[in-house]
Amino acid sequence: ARALAVNPAAILFDEPTSALDPTMVGEVLAVMRDLARDGQTMIVVTHDMDLAREAHTVHRMEAGRVARSGTPNEVLG
């Protein structure tokens, strides 16, 4: 809520669903989907491949560098 209060151009999420119980995961993902539908730009760092598959663009990192970029199908296969 605090991040949205200032109407940011983009929001950074660092592992937004880690260490959450299944109910909370669902609630967080629902909010993120609503934000995406409203046109909010989000940068999401995640190890959750199901979440990454919902992205428009995926950047796969290796050794601190972008190793591959593209659609989820292109990058995650």
Side-chain angles (χ1 to χ4, degrees):
R2 189 179 315 171
L4 294 172
V6 295
N7 196 25
I11 300 174
L12 174 61
F13 291 91
D14 185 5
E15 296 287 356
T17 59
S18 69
L20 297 177
D21 64 66
T23 301
M24 288 301 299
V25 168
E27 290 179 22
V28 168
L29 293 178
V31 169
M32 292 175 73
R33 288 180 186 115
D34 287 345
L35 289 169
R37 272 192 293 274
D38 291 344
Q40 177 66 56
T41 298
M42 294 177 279
I43 300 166
V44 182
V45 177
T46 187
H47 287 90
D48 182 339
M49 294 300 103
D50 291 332
L51 177 56
R53 283 184 174 81
E54 294 187 44
H56 291 353
T57 304
V58 172
H59 304 287
R60 184 168 163 235
M61 306 292 290
E62 289 180 12
R65 297 182 187 268
V66 176
R68 191 160 183 205
S69 294
T71 66
N73 285 338
E74 293 169 339
V75 176
L76 304 174

